[in-house]
Amino acid sequence: MGPVAQVSDALWRRPRVLLLLLLLPPLLWLGIVYLGSLFALLAQSFFSIDEFSGLINYEFTLRTYGELFRAANLDIILRTLAMATSVTIAAAIVAFPIAYYAARYARGRWKALFYLGIMLPLWSSYLVKVYAWKLILAREGILNWLFETLHLDWLLAAYLSIPVLGGNSLSVSWTGTFLVFLYVWLPFMILPIQAALERIPPSLLEAAGDLGADRGQTLRYVILPLALPGIVAGSIFTFSLTLGDYIVPQIIGTSARMIGQAVYQFQGTAGNIPLAAAFAVVPIVIMGIYLTVARRMGAFNAL
Amino acid sequence: MAPAISFEGVTRQFGQVRAVDDLTLDIAEGEFFAMLGPSGSGKTTSLRLVAGFERPTKGHVRIFGQDATATPPYRRPVNTVFQDYALFPHLNVRDNVAFGLRVAGVPKPARHRAAEAALEMVKLPGYADRKPSELSGGQRQRVALARALVNQPKVLLLDEPLGALDLKLREQMQEELKTLQRSLGITFVFVTHDQGEALSMADRVAVFNEGRIQQVGTPVEVYDRPATPFVADFVGSSNVLPAALVARLTGQHHPASLRPERIRIGATGLAATVAGASFLGAATRLFVEADGARMSVLLPKGAHVPDTGATVHLDWDEGALHMMTGVQDG
Amino acid sequence: MRSDRASLGLKIAAVAGLLFLHLPILLIFVYAFTTEDTSYQWPPPGLTLQWFGVTWNRPDVWEALSLSLRVAAISTAIALVLGTLCAAAVARSRFFGRETISLLVILPIALPGVITGISLRSAFNLAEIPFSFWTIVAGHATFCVVVVYNNAVARFRRTSGSLIEASMDLGANYFQTFRLVILPNIATALLAGGMLAFALSFDEVIVTTFTSGQQQTLPIWMLEELVRPRQRPVTNVVAMVVVLVTAVPILIAYYLTRGTDTVAGQGK
């Protein structure tokens, strides 16, 4: 009997060892390297920074968390939450018709085309997508040109004069950031909704029609409730991704910061790792709550 | 000589459930042995214990006298025909059949010859280059059989192999399997929930319920002399007369089985009320109630069928009433 | 419902949504040919092929591209091993903590990249590991595991469990069973997962900004150009090439898993 066969026999006699050997490499990597780093970072949120020396004071304190509630920092958190919420709602509205059409009406070649039409933007370069919007929103770019050509520049100017939403130009406005977020995360909303809609048996819709519901009523009372887990699943992505992103608001938008930027700056230029860590806890906690609610609504079955 | 398979006090527990509960059983070499029972009765788990896919929680499985506890499936002199056939989808029929010889290190020309011969044996010559997905259910079944037999196992395990086939094909395969087993002379252990299949094919049958063996015997023994009410009911759906009624009729306080086809409607005998009848084609099944016990009576074609509500008298030959003195679980 | 036609409003909304997804990317293709080199002027004053030549002769672009390709290749290889092992363990046995393992695999992608990035960075600092090619790979492999894992787990689930039993029943030991039965049956799923992992790594920027030292992957190079534009036409050309290059593995992954599992896009 060769040595390989002997090892195989030994593994069969001890199935737990086989399981352990399978799990050991991924557990070492993810459990120790990744989780270890994550906890090391989070532990630092319980330290504080000495304001004079700029060195980390390794003593347990909740002071750093207290700093999160300073007006400027609270602003960052609320602003990010507002952005994540609006992006999520808008994404659900834009995604639904696409997902609905793809799930219910697209057949054969069209189905494949729709599928790729959603997959390709999903997987194409994030930075390139952001860059595309820099081109679109630029003062000399296509959007302004379009408004001018249609003689609608007064409309754009009026919109930009709205206090919070507008700004000097679209590329440095809240609306600009919103549009880019909507664009980059939209596919993440379409796919789960489509998956949820595809699970609705057509006979259910026929039954609704048979019972006298018109299109609108069928949509409201049958399709939407059944698609809800998909919408919630999609919202997990759009919400979480917006919460943590720091590149989009850095390239397109106002100077007001979001959580991701705050984390980035506190650990980088400011060198305040404890505060950066405390800021990092915010999206984790928010997503924890969000996921708990989503699980209750059965969203994980639609993932 | 040691039996081909022997279970010695084998228990297999999944969590709190005892799928197999203290099983002791010997299967002789060259036997066509059937394990019969409803789903969840432990028959399939028993088979998997022999193949080595499950390990006993307690007890030992011996194969030709040798304790198999530490022997992995790939070192056991047994081969299995799976319920879903488990043909390798990425290999063609020839490579599927030759798989066992390949891992045993048999050179290519020799194992291909052996595979063709095995396919010949299961009446599937000329299919060697097809993929399993291109075969019908019956053909897949034959490939699975050839794939197991080409390794010349001492024991062939069959897990509900005919379950997915339609009735006609099933009857044909039953006949073929029996012929095959006789000509090869090896032990077949056959798991099924179909009592007709077990009775018609096997030399001996073990009836399983809730992880325990209710009775082991020849088909005739199991059918005519069921040991427990479960066996009586499961094998050929016999009437089970409660102990109180039997005591009144015979003086013996035991439940008893009475086959529907052995009851006659006569002028004297046990009075019963007709509750209904259903026409079966070759016969008519009459449902009657006597002393609170529901029974069925099989009337031959042409016999008079009494009306529902009528009172009839049930009569039978001495010896038709079989006392069940065996242990009863549950 | 299935037999009748989609309403006009639905059609318009669906098509408009798809256009919204694709037009911005197509716009980049036009900009790659513009003669304008200092602003993002639309419509382009003229079209030229000269920027392709200029980009071709830029060593910094080539260096970034080569680094990105090497990082993606190594990260994908690591992710393939770790993801397959994990999927095999989770799919083939019931054990305590299965759910935890799935969560652990998904976590690096579920948490915002900025958190993963900073965690790894501060861990490297604490352990006094200098930033290098390998620190970038460490970060990428961590979040690439999930893509391979998702694809492999889906395939394991579809593959009948009795195939492995059949193989061992016929005399194949664990290693022969892996080589002759398991691997051929999960190969396309692994290939698809590997393609997606490659695309994911090739494109990643957020974690990379924290785990790279002086080295620039292609996305880091692009980020630099976005924040501090130096030669816009070169950026346009690079952006277009990146779109085309990332589309290839996605299309391959799609055709590999078509009609079997859904491509695990949600893994991203």
Side-chain angles (χ1 to χ4, degrees), chain A residues 125 128, chain C residues 28-29 32 52 55-56 61-62 65 202 218 222 234-248:
Chain A
S125 169
V128 168
Chain C
I28 287 182
F29 284 49
F52 287 86
T55 311
W56 186 267
V61 173
W62 283 109
L65 178 67
F202 187 76
L218 200 60
M222 277 216 49
V234 175
T235 316
N236 295 338
V237 170
V238 171
M240 180 179 120
V241 171
V242 166
V243 169
L244 292 177
V245 168
T246 40
V248 174

Side-chain angles (χ1 to χ4, degrees), chain A residues 181-240:
Chain A
F181 271 134
L182 175 64
Y183 178 74
V184 292
W185 308 141
L186 185 61
F188 292 90
M189 182 63 96
I190 301 175
L191 284 175
I193 298 183
Q194 189 185 342
L197 287 173
E198 264 168 14
R199 272 197 284 260
I200 304 179
S203 59
L204 222 61
L205 307 183
E206 283 158 15
D210 190 52
L211 294 169
D214 61 31
R215 262 173 199 254
Q217 286 168 321
T218 307
L219 184 69
R220 227 174 108 196
Y221 297 116
V222 180
I223 297 170
L224 270 183
L226 288 172
L228 194 65
I231 298 175
V232 175
S235 77
I236 294 173
F237 293 113
T238 55
F239 202 82
S240 159

Side-chain angles (χ1 to χ4, degrees), chain C residues 183-200:
Chain C
L183 207 53
N185 275 296
I186 62 168
T188 50
L190 288 190
L191 203 54
M195 289 288 170
L196 295 177
F198 192 93
L200 190 58

Side-chain angles (χ1 to χ4, degrees), chain B residues 85-284:
Chain B
Y85 315 137
L87 300 181
F88 303 122
H90 60 291
L91 300 179
N92 64 20
V93 167
R94 179 187 295 110
D95 290 337
N96 258 289
V97 175
F99 187 89
L101 301 174
R102 179 179 177 191
V103 293
V106 176
K108 205 172 207 169
R111 68 177 191 244
H112 280 184
R113 268 198 311 277
E116 313 270 356
L119 286 169
E120 196 92 36
M121 180 172 67
V122 297
K123 303 189 178 122
L124 216 56
Y127 282 83
D129 291 312
R130 305 243 187 133
K131 279 286 179 77
S133 55
E134 298 164 354
L135 302 181
S136 72
Q139 291 168 333
R140 286 180 204 184
Q141 149 93 76
R142 287 164 192 268
V143 175
L145 198 59
R147 187 178 68 170
L149 288 174
V150 78
N151 306 295
Q152 300 181 316
K154 291 184 178 168
V155 178
L156 184 72
L157 308 174
L158 303 109
D159 184 5
E160 304 246 6
L162 310 180
L165 305 181
D166 60 39
L167 186 64
K168 207 154 175 194
L169 204 53
R170 198 150 70 202
E171 282 167 354
Q172 185 191 340
M173 277 312 288
Q174 285 177 7
E175 209 45 56
E176 282 185 31
L177 278 176
K178 236 159 82 175
T179 316
L180 203 57
Q181 192 261 344
R182 289 220 186 93
S183 66
L184 292 170
I186 63 171
T187 313
F188 275 32
V189 182
F190 186 95
V191 159
T192 180
H193 65 270
D194 181 335
Q195 47 105 6
E197 206 166 275
L199 296 183
S200 70
M201 296 171 78
D203 298 326
R204 280 200 305 152
V205 179
V207 185
F208 281 70
N209 188 36
E210 294 182 338
R212 285 172 167 267
I213 288 190
Q214 300 281 316
Q215 186 174 9
V216 186
T218 64
V220 174
E221 281 168 355
V222 170
Y223 188 84
D224 283 346
R225 295 191 289 283
T228 67
F230 174 81
V231 177
D233 184 47
F234 191 76
V235 181
S237 46
S238 186
N239 294 306
V240 176
L241 273 55
L245 178 63
V246 177
R248 199 165 62 76
L249 292 170
T250 66
Q252 282 179 277
H253 196 87
H254 284 298
S257 85
L258 183 58
R259 294 281 164 199
E261 68 273 20
R262 302 195 65 169
I263 304 177
R264 289 186 304 266
I265 306 282
T268 57
L270 179 63
T273 313
V274 177
S278 67
F279 177 62
L280 302 179
T284 300

